[in-house]
Amino acid sequence: MNTSRTRLQTIHERSLRSPGVLSPCVSVCRMDASAELCVGCYRTLDEIAQWSTMAESTKAVVWQHILTREQHAKGVSNGQ
């Protein structure tokens, strides 16, 4: 079992301890056209554009989507 934390998981864990929900941006801003997601933070264009005006509860939901998307992308790229 791989227990290493990804960069996004580390940011998410810090976000849980901070007063506000931290942005998942990792400064790798490039869209994957087929998945319609940023390859750095796994957000959609709409999520990226709306992040600054989202309610904290909505940001928390987006984070759950991000972690799921990242896990799926890593599984697919590892042939799982």
Side-chain angles (χ1 to χ4, degrees), residues 32-64:
D32 178 321
S34 64
E36 297 183 352
L37 298 172
C38 174
V39 300
C41 67
Y42 297 97
R43 288 184 290 173
T44 65
L45 281 175
D46 286 342
E47 291 167 344
I48 293 167
Q50 296 171 12
W51 186 264
S52 64
T53 59
M54 283 181 185
E56 297 295 296
S57 59
T58 305
K59 290 178 182 180
V61 170
V62 170
W63 257 112
Q64 292 308 309

Side-chain angles (χ1 to χ4, degrees), residues 1 9 12-13 17 21 24-25 27 34 38 40 44 50 53 60-63 69 73 75 77:
M1 180 176 168
Q9 289 168 331
H12 181 248
E13 288 169 1
R17 295 187 302 268
V21 179
C25 181
S27 298
S34 64
C38 174
T44 65
Q50 296 171 12
T53 59
V61 170
V62 170
W63 257 112
R69 292 169 187 157
S77 67

Side-chain angles (χ1 to χ4, degrees), residues 15-26:
S15 184
L16 295 173
R17 295 187 302 268
S18 72
V21 179
L22 298 177
S23 170
C25 181
V26 294

